[in-house]
Amino acid sequence: MSIRKLKYHEKKLLKKVDFLWTSDDNVREGTILRRYHITNRNDYVKYNRLAGKIHSYILKLKLLSKDDLFRIKMTKNLLLKVYNMGLIHKQKSLSSCDKINASSFCRRRLPIVMVRLKMAENVSEAVQFIEEGHIRIGPNTITDTAFIVTRTLEDFITWAPTSKIKRTIAKYNDQLDDYVLLGN
């Protein structure tokens, strides 16, 4: 039995199809992608790789003796870095880092943090606000929904100065400036 040569339009269609994502064990992955409103599957793959690297570092550190100065120093550095990223709640020990997975990184994405800070009612609304340019972190307007928010940046999430939502909130709270009401 011989296989026929593909026609031009069939080749073009095959280029558009992603065959790497057709296995049956993607149930967990699909639920995470929907829950955290991740549109780019490569982001999830990167989070999985980062979690795997953290776990491999933990295993390498656990192989060293507990009295080793290098292990103590690297453990402190790893715990501090992971804590500052917001992936763990307390800097106790390496066992707290064992629970880090792709969902830990997904929970630090900007739309999820916005929902937790009550800036949006749900994740899809937060994604819409971000994509439309209504959100600012520090001096920069953020339009990337995959932006990872660290613990220090969490305090600087605000509405963009040109955002209509900021004006609506100020009007609701009776904090709207008269100069702004004039349309300037």
Side-chain angles (χ1 to χ4, degrees), residues 8-184:
Y8 176 76
H9 72 280
E10 293 172 333
K11 288 180 186 177
K12 296 239 344 169
L13 285 173
L14 282 177
K15 287 181 183 177
K16 294 181 182 179
V17 177
D18 184 12
F19 286 111
L20 299 176
W21 196 25
T22 57
S23 66
D24 295 330
D25 59 348
N26 287 329
V27 174
R28 176 170 163 67
E29 182 177 329
T31 57
I32 289 173
L33 291 176
R34 280 190 303 278
R35 178 185 302 144
Y36 297 110
H37 207 280
I38 300 173
T39 54
N40 188 359
R41 183 181 169 272
N42 291 333
D43 290 340
Y44 177 77
V45 171
K46 289 175 189 174
Y47 300 151
N48 257 338
R49 286 191 186 136
L50 285 172
K53 286 187 179 194
I54 290 172
H55 287 290
S56 69
Y57 292 144
I58 292 169
L59 289 175
K60 289 176 184 175
L61 286 174
K62 285 184 176 180
L63 291 175
L64 300 173
S65 68
K66 292 190 176 191
D67 299 334
D68 189 8
L69 293 176
F70 178 76
R71 176 186 171 163
I72 294 169
K73 180 182 174 188
M74 288 297 125
T75 301
K76 285 182 182 178
N77 287 344
L78 179 66
L79 287 173
L80 181 66
K81 184 72 167 176
V82 173
Y83 176 78
N84 285 340
M85 286 184 68
L87 301 177
I88 58 174
H89 298 293
K90 296 178 183 174
Q91 298 182 45
K92 283 187 176 179
S93 65
L94 287 177
S95 62
S96 62
C97 291
D98 282 336
K99 299 172 186 171
I100 294 175
N101 53 20
S103 295
S104 303
F105 286 96
C106 293
R107 284 190 288 271
R108 298 306 301 176
R109 289 170 59 99
L110 183 56
I112 307 302
V113 174
M114 283 179 56
V115 171
R116 197 171 357 102
L117 293 175
K118 307 276 193 240
M119 291 180 77
E121 287 186 29
N122 52 40
V123 180
S124 60
E125 186 178 82
V127 167
Q128 184 180 0
F129 289 158
I130 294 167
E131 289 174 346
E132 290 175 359
H134 292 291
I135 303 302
R136 181 178 78 171
I137 297 180
N140 304 325
T141 302
I142 305 296
T143 57
D144 183 19
T145 57
F147 187 86
I148 300 291
V149 180
T150 61
R151 286 187 192 273
T152 55
L153 288 179
E154 202 170 310
D155 297 333
F156 299 105
I157 300 174
T158 58
W159 299 104
T162 58
S163 173
K164 297 275 186 183
I165 298 169
K166 180 179 181 178
R167 183 174 180 194
T168 304
I169 292 171
K171 188 175 181 181
Y172 178 78
N173 293 332
D174 289 330
Q175 296 173 346
L176 195 60
D177 190 17
D178 293 337
Y179 183 73
V180 176
L181 283 174
L182 295 174
N184 298 328

